[in-house]
């Protein structure tokens, strides 16, 4: 699919030529990125002048407390909208892709030596399913998409506007960033999955900035590490993009776990990967915008979201699991039940040593809390939807031994909260990867992941957790027959809880 060709016009040169129309109409047309950047800022100057003339409170990074009032949040939102730019994130995405292309072509090789000829060919070709390494397609591309989303959001654009930038940025890379034919699986992973991931990182970055109990230097550093575009725009453009995106003070459950696990079940099937029975793990999870808080609404995409990321000493990234409410409405049933329902966006990546699965999906469902008493509660999320999913065996014959298919999928996540002392979490996921949208070989996969943990708070925010994790894949293919892969582990963790402990939501 990728054929070497002489290096003629590089990707950065092509971008500069394409961007020349954005320069001022008079005088010399700027051809380099710094000049283009300056031209964009000059073009935005009248808009910024209008913004500064609007009679709005001056909301700075230090003036929006974690418990910002509704009036302060509205002021911050108005200031963000008044200062937003459409040109700046476009140039940032183009610059990011130009730099990435130059890095890739000098470090990774000629697959990225795009030129006028390959761009012209890609513009007139059909989109294909590529076979780049699994981690490149399913982790690298979504993270690149999260950068595009972050540049747009950090420039004041709303979620849906940023989604358009992310999708367009992905399409540009597929056509001009690589020599290979444009890939529809990359477009989904980057343009849609990257948007979901990027919005969560943008929200977490701004949530970090709201914590005034953290020294400013560390607050800014942490926010930039979580979402580099947020940190870059705050540094590069001064006060214009320093207004913190208001969280509206959600209730959230977060925890950081560090521990070890031991394999207790294992059937590797066709996997040739070396099995490591013991592994050290770091896990971070957050459920943001839990329903039931009086006055908290879900008017914006991702006012509710969940993220869980796990790193393993055995294979690096063990999992990255996200979901967020795109469109929804809160509801109640009687006095003791509060919830939100609607359309959710999902991006998942799972790699438990023997096989791998990753999906970008949309689902309908609900997240709710049922108050059993003043201290006991049951929280949960139930989702059902469909996605585009990649699945394959780890190190079967090559890192490209995997396939895609349309996949109906479901999730049930429950948390039983016993006051501020203990919590029991039970989560089940299932993906049925069909032969629709798959290669001609036919067949299908069924993947199940079960996660059960019990957490006991020992002192203040310090707790210990016992966790059982089961991953199972059943594959059915005419050319290889039936096969199964199973891995079960049990682990012991030190757990540091967030400021809302187990996330119990009180209401009158």
């Amino acid at each position: 699919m990728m054929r070497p060709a002489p290096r003629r016009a590089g990707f950065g040169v092509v971008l500069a030529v394409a961007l020349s129309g954005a320069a001022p109409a008079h005088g010399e047309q700027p051809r380099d990125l710094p000049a283009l950047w300056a031209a964009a800022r000059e073009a935005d100057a009248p808009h910024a002048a209008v913004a500064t003339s609007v009679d709005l409170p001056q909301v700075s990074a230090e003036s929006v407390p974690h418990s910002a009032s509704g009036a302060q949040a509205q002021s911050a939102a108005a200031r963000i909208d008044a200062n937003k730019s459409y040109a700046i994130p476009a140039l940032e995405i183009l610059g990011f892709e130009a730099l990435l292309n130059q890095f890739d072509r000098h470090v990774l090789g000629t697959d990225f030596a795009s030129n006028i000829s390959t761009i012209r060919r890609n513009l007139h070709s059909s989109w294909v399913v590529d076979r780049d390494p699994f981690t490149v397609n399913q982790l690298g591309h979504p993270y690149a998409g999260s950068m595009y989303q972050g540049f747009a959001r950090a420039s004041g654009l709303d979620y849906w506007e940023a989604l358009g930038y992310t999708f367009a940025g992905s399409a540009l890379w597929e056509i001009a960033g690589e020599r290979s034919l444009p890939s529809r699986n990359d477009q989904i992973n980057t343009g849609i999955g990257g948007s979901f991931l990027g919005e969560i990182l943008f929200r977490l970055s701004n949530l970090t900035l709201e914590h005034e109990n953290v020294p400013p230097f560390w607050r800014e550093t942490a926010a930039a590490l979580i979402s580099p575009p947020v940190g870059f725009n705050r540094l590069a453009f001064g006060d214009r993009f320093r207004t913190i995106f208001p969280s509206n003070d959600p209730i959230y459950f977060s925890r950081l776990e560090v521990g070890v696990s031991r394999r207790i079940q294992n059937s590797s099937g066709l996997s040739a990967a070396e099995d490591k029975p013991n592994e050290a793990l770091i896990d971070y999870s957050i459920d943001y915008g839990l329903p039931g808080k009086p006055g908290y609404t879900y008017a914006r995409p991702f006012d509710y979201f969940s993220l869980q990321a796990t790193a393993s000493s055995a294979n690096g990234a063990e999992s990255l699991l996200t979901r967020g409410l795109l469109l929804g409405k809160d509801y109640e049933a009687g006095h003791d039940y509060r919830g939100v329902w609607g359309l959710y966006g999902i991006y998942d990546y799972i790699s438990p040593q023997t096989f791998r699965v990753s999906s970008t999906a949309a689902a309908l469902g609900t997240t709710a809390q049922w108050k059993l008493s003043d201290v006991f509660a049951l929280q949960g999320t139930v989702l059902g939807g469909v996605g585009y999913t990649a699945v394959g065996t780890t190190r079967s014959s090559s890192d490209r031994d995997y396939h895609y298919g349309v996949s109906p999928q479901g999730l049930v996540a429950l948390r039983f909260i016993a006051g501020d002392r203990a919590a029991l979490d039970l989560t089940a996921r299932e993906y049925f990867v069909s032969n629709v949208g798959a290669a001609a070989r036919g067949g299908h996969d069924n993947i199940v992941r079960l996660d059960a943990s019990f957490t006991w708070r020992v002192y203040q925010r310090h707790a210990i957790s016992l966790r059982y994790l089961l991953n199972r894949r059943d594959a059915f293919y005419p050319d290889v027959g039936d096969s199964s892969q199973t891995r079960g582990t049990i682990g012991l963790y030190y757990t540091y809880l967030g400021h809302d402990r187990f996330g119990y939501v009180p209401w009158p």
Side-chain angles (χ1 to χ4, degrees):
M1 185 166 62
M2 301 179 183
R3 294 188 296 275
R7 287 188 182 178
R8 292 189 288 272
F11 182 60
V13 176
V14 173
L15 287 179
V17 173
L19 278 170
S20 62
H26 55 82
E28 179 71 13
Q29 296 285 337
R31 295 300 177 119
D32 59 326
L33 189 59
L36 289 166
W37 192 295
R41 294 189 67 173
E42 182 179 345
D44 275 335
H47 181 65
V50 171
T52 56
S53 69
V54 177
D55 186 19
L56 295 173
Q58 297 298 304
V59 183
S60 68
E62 286 71 32
S63 63
V64 181
H66 179 62
S67 57
S69 68
Q72 287 176 309
Q74 290 176 7
S75 297
R79 183 169 173 79
I80 290 171
D81 185 68
N83 285 324
K84 71 180 178 182
S85 170
Y86 291 98
I88 288 174
L91 288 176
E92 288 176 326
I93 292 171
L94 290 168
F96 174 81
E97 291 192 347
L99 292 173
L100 180 61
N101 173 267
Q102 290 300 311
F103 174 86
D104 287 348
R105 71 168 62 200
H106 287 96
V107 175
L108 302 180
T110 58
D111 287 350
F112 300 92
S114 53
N115 52 53
I116 293 293
S117 177
T118 62
I119 293 172
R120 185 182 298 113
R121 181 205 64 199
N122 288 348
L123 283 170
H124 296 89
S125 68
S126 299
W127 289 58
V128 300
V129 175
D130 73 16
R131 283 293 181 266
D132 288 340
F134 191 90
T135 53
V136 171
N137 277 353
Q138 303 307 130
L139 272 181
H141 277 279
Y143 186 75
S146 78
M147 293 289 288
Y148 307 155
Q149 182 80 12
F151 283 128
R153 293 292 273 135
S155 299
L157 305 190
D158 67 27
Y159 173 79
W160 298 110
E161 292 171 328
L163 172 61
Y165 275 68
T166 305
F167 201 80
S170 175
L172 175 64
W173 177 263
E174 291 302 308
I175 292 168
E178 300 178 354
R179 293 179 52 83
S180 58
L181 295 175
S183 164
R184 59 177 177 266
N185 53 298
D186 288 347
Q187 183 65 20
I188 293 172
N189 293 333
T190 310
I192 301 176
S195 173
F196 298 160
L197 177 60
E199 182 66 16
I200 289 175
L201 296 180
F202 172 77
R203 290 296 194 100
L204 288 177
S205 180
N206 281 270
L207 183 65
T208 301
L209 291 169
E210 285 186 340
H211 283 73
E212 290 190 325
N213 58 319
V214 179
F217 173 80
W218 295 113
R219 191 167 64 222
E220 294 284 346
T221 301
L225 290 174
I226 294 169
S227 179
V230 171
F232 179 80
N233 277 17
R234 289 172 66 82
L235 181 64
F237 297 99
D239 290 340
R240 179 170 184 178
F241 296 136
R242 291 190 68 82
T243 303
I244 300 171
F245 182 83
S247 67
N248 296 335
D249 197 21
I251 290 182
Y252 59 89
F253 165 74
S254 63
R255 64 183 174 191
L256 175 67
E257 296 183 319
V258 180
V260 294
S261 71
R262 170 75 179 176
R263 182 202 68 208
I264 57 174
Q265 298 165 273
N266 189 66
S267 175
S268 58
L270 299 175
S271 174
E274 178 186 358
D275 176 62
K276 298 178 181 179
N278 302 311
E279 55 187 324
L281 298 129
I282 300 176
D283 180 278
Y284 175 77
S285 62
I286 180 169
D287 289 324
Y288 171 108
L290 293 167
K293 179 181 178 180
Y296 187 79
T297 62
Y298 299 88
R300 308 171 300 183
F302 287 80
D303 275 337
Y304 165 81
F305 69 79
S306 174
L307 174 143
Q308 182 179 9
T310 305
S312 165
S313 63
N315 61 344
E318 195 278 338
S319 61
L320 178 57
L321 307 168
T322 71
R323 61 181 181 269
L325 185 70
L326 294 170
L327 297 167
K329 182 176 177 56
D330 54 332
Y331 66 93
E332 59 183 70
H335 177 267
D336 296 327
Y337 192 94
R338 301 285 188 275
V340 60
W341 71 276
L343 177 67
Y344 292 70
I346 299 170
Y347 162 67
D348 290 341
Y349 174 92
I350 300 170
S351 180
Q353 294 198 39
T354 55
F355 68 88
R356 302 158 307 181
V357 60
S358 178
S359 182
T360 297
L364 293 173
T366 184
T367 300
Q369 175 177 289
W370 179 21
K371 268 200 337 184
L372 304 175
S373 72
D374 289 338
V375 293
F376 294 99
L378 179 65
Q379 294 178 343
T381 296
V382 178
L383 301 178
V386 63
Y388 191 60
T389 301
V391 61
T393 297
T394 303
R395 297 182 187 174
S396 175
S397 57
S398 76
D399 197 35
R400 293 169 169 81
D401 181 20
Y402 64 95
H403 57 276
Y404 288 89
V406 174
S407 61
Q409 54 193 265
L411 174 141
V412 176
L414 301 174
R415 176 180 301 123
F416 177 75
I417 301 171
D420 65 352
R421 180 55 62 186
L424 174 66
D425 289 85
L426 302 170
T427 303
R429 289 177 168 85
E430 184 169 11
Y431 311 85
F432 181 83
V433 187
S434 70
N435 58 9
V436 177
R441 65 186 296 201
H444 61 269
D445 292 82
N446 196 74
I447 296 98
V448 174
R449 179 178 173 97
L450 301 176
D451 189 344
S453 67
F454 177 75
T455 301
W456 180 266
R457 189 179 65 84
V458 178
Y459 175 72
Q460 294 183 350
R461 297 188 186 182
H462 306 281
I464 57 172
S465 299
L466 186 66
R467 181 183 181 191
Y468 170 72
L469 184 62
L470 174 69
N471 293 278
R472 180 179 176 89
R473 175 195 179 200
D474 295 301
F476 308 91
Y477 289 91
D479 53 346
V480 297
D482 300 349
S483 64
S484 294
Q485 295 170 295
T486 303
R487 181 174 180 83
T489 61
I490 190 165
L492 183 65
Y493 299 82
Y494 159 76
T495 301
Y496 185 76
L497 299 170
H499 83 287
D500 284 328
R501 301 290 172 87
F502 293 112
Y504 176 86
V505 183
W507 60 75

